[in-house]
Amino acid sequence: MPLQCTLGVDIGTSSSKGVLVDEGGRIVATATLAHDVSRPRAGWVEMDAHVWWSEFVALATEMLVSARSDGLEPEVVAVGVSGMGPCVLLTDENDEPVRAAILYGVDTRAAAQVERLTEELGTAEIVRIGGSHLSSQAAGPKIAWIADEEPEAYARARRLFMPASWLARRLTGAYVLDHQSASQTSPLYDVDAAAWHDPWWRRFAPGIEAPALLWAGDIAGTVTDAAAAETGIPAGTPVIAGTIDAWTEAVSVGAHEPGDLMLMYGTTMFLVATGTETLRTPSMWTTVGAFPGTRNLAGGLATSGALTAWLKDLTGAGYPTLLAEAEASEPGARGLVMLPYFAGERTPILDPDARGVIAGLTLGHGRGDLYRAALEATAMGVRHNVETMRAAGADIRRIVAVGGGTQGALWLQIVSDVTGLVQEVPATTIGASYGAAFLAAAAVSSQKPRIEEWNPMTARVSPDRALAPLYDELFERYLDLYASTRGLVHDLAAGQREHEPQEVRA
């Protein structure tokens, strides 16, 4: 007997993940494909968009084959898509990319365009229309960068995509972008009007057709015959518009209601606070929510899992060993303070030239101390973001942790201890692909599923209040360390750009 399922795929920074889910939210099959991004120059982070589609096809095929090998008869009734962002993929009239896709805030190449657009339009007007100051996270300046620096490529550009909308296009032929993603193309989108700001679109994206706007769970179209032949998904299957992975991940754990904060532990760390009021603050990102009537204040660390992976590779020790040694190191990492800005930093300092700093090292420190200092550094970054959000007026009443990093109890505990926050952990932390599958199910179900039933909370991590004085003091040292080293670090960053290898793989 056929088993009705929804299929969700998320294109992430270091891998693409897929999930096949039945009507009750039970995972029928999963698949993952690792990939690299390209870093051709300092501050550049790119990816070949052809990989996004080829990996979708491979994941869909693998999951359907896996389910059938288990004796099931999966019937895909809807497809959910999700991806990292905001990214800038420009294609020609035949949907062929004119260059590699430029990724989100970890790509800092458009600093000159951020400065120019800000000067031309004025900070107050940019914030009034788009909600946020321009930064490395904004997609608009990256479009301008292509026009300025690669005019031949830009001359061929006709359409703008991000990973989720690119998959929707390849699956259905629809040219759409969801409102949440669009709100991160500052300054091209009007946050309060929830529409493209036509004067600035014509000025800064000339020659590019503005995609139709949908909400994340809206149906973009149905699978074409050609896409069905490649993927094995039946022609005519509905496909949702999808959205950026952090927002889809928030959906996957039910952290998308007013008062919720989603904390995503991944290659980077991402925070999304949801409310109904448009909050504007210079150091965070103001966006439209995944659903009508919601607004978000969002932020992100440029490294988190990337930092722990760097230490693992550097020391040659596996994660279990490093975690055990970090746990043996006392809170405060035996007198170490680390700044986690190894790839610059996004919010709240918005400093692409920030760099990693480790202060207090002695010959007596070991790799466990360093690993604990890294975990505490990311926790300090989370605290810095949360305090900035609350100062801007965010009403944070509930915090939900999600992502691969939630599998490590020590990291979760350190974040709660440093921030003083209780974190709820759901049963399923597979991430954005699961949220995409849920949105797809909701789009086609006569009886709307509830994420609380699909994915209930199963754990709570509470802070050790006895550690509050220690971490309060370390947090002040963390802030002071950045302030006191900023000038020197910026000089070092300038020198690094001059000596950066021409091609570095992430």
Side-chain angles (χ1 to χ4, degrees), residues 453-466:
E453 296 176 355
W454 272 39
N455 193 15
M457 296 295 146
T458 57
R460 285 168 58 90
V461 182
S462 298
D464 182 348
R465 302 296 180 188

Side-chain angles (χ1 to χ4, degrees), residues 171-456:
L171 285 164
T172 71
Y175 179 46
V176 301
L177 190 66
D178 69 285
H179 283 276
Q180 204 296 310
S181 300
S183 71
Q184 298 203 54
T185 61
S186 300
L188 307 181
Y189 180 92
D190 187 326
V191 170
D192 286 333
W196 294 118
H197 187 59
D198 290 334
W200 290 354
W201 182 281
R202 291 193 297 269
R203 184 171 173 180
F204 298 111
I208 299 175
E209 177 189 355
L213 292 170
L214 297 176
W215 294 98
D218 290 345
I219 294 174
T222 58
V223 174
T224 64
D225 290 339
E230 285 194 72
T231 64
I233 301 168
T237 302
V239 180
I240 61 166
T243 190
I244 292 173
D245 53 7
W247 278 259
T248 319
E249 194 136 15
V251 170
S252 79
V253 295
H256 55 270
E257 299 293 336
D260 288 347
L261 174 72
M262 187 275 298
L263 182 56
M264 184 176 78
Y265 293 73
T267 304
T268 66
M269 186 83 79
F270 211 88
L271 305 90
V272 180
T274 300
T276 56
E277 181 183 356
T278 303
L279 300 175
R280 291 171 168 85
T281 181
S283 54
M284 306 300 293
W285 304 317
T286 299
T287 74
V288 169
F291 301 100
T294 59
R295 295 290 185 270
N296 296 128
L297 203 57
L301 280 64
T303 63
S304 60
L307 180 54
T308 59
W310 174 78
L311 276 168
K312 178 181 74 71
D313 293 342
L314 188 68
T315 62
Y319 285 123
T321 298
L322 288 169
L323 284 167
E325 293 178 357
E327 193 159 14
S329 175
E330 63 191 35
R334 297 201 305 127
L336 296 182
V337 179
M338 181 184 293
L339 298 182
Y341 310 147
F342 285 55
E345 187 55 296
R346 296 191 284 174
T347 60
I349 65 172
L350 301 177
D351 186 355
D353 285 339
R355 292 294 183 267
V357 175
I358 306 173
L361 276 170
T362 73
L363 294 175
H365 286 106
R367 63 191 180 191
D369 302 312
L370 285 171
Y371 199 78
R372 185 175 189 105
L375 297 180
E376 291 181 343
T378 61
M380 297 291 177
V382 171
R383 176 168 172 169
H384 200 182
N385 275 273
V386 169
E387 291 191 359
T388 304
M389 286 178 168
R390 283 181 162 157
D395 176 21
I396 298 173
R397 287 173 271 133
R398 177 172 175 264
I399 297 163
V400 181
V402 68
T406 60
Q407 303 303 313
L410 179 61
W411 198 0
L412 283 169
Q413 188 63 55
I414 288 174
V415 169
S416 281
D417 291 342
V418 168
T419 62
L421 301 172
V422 175
Q423 299 176 82
E424 297 184 16
V425 184
T428 298
T429 58
I430 197 169
S433 58
Y434 191 77
F438 174 81
L439 287 173
V444 298
S445 300
S446 56
Q447 291 185 329
K448 300 294 185 186
R450 298 177 67 246
I451 194 62
E452 296 83 358
E453 296 176 355
W454 272 39
N455 193 15

Side-chain angles (χ1 to χ4, degrees), residues 95-147:
D95 290 340
E96 185 64 28
V98 302
R99 69 171 326 282
I102 300 175
L103 300 198
Y104 51 98
V106 294
D107 185 294
T108 60
R109 76 183 69 194
Q113 285 71 28
V114 167
E115 183 176 351
R116 175 169 63 83
L117 269 62
T118 300
E119 184 176 340
E120 287 183 21
L121 302 176
T123 297
E125 192 67 359
I126 290 171
V127 172
R128 185 183 72 82
I129 297 295
S132 303
H133 291 227
L134 296 183
S135 70
S136 65
Q137 184 76 356
K142 293 174 181 178
I143 297 173
W145 183 92
I146 298 173

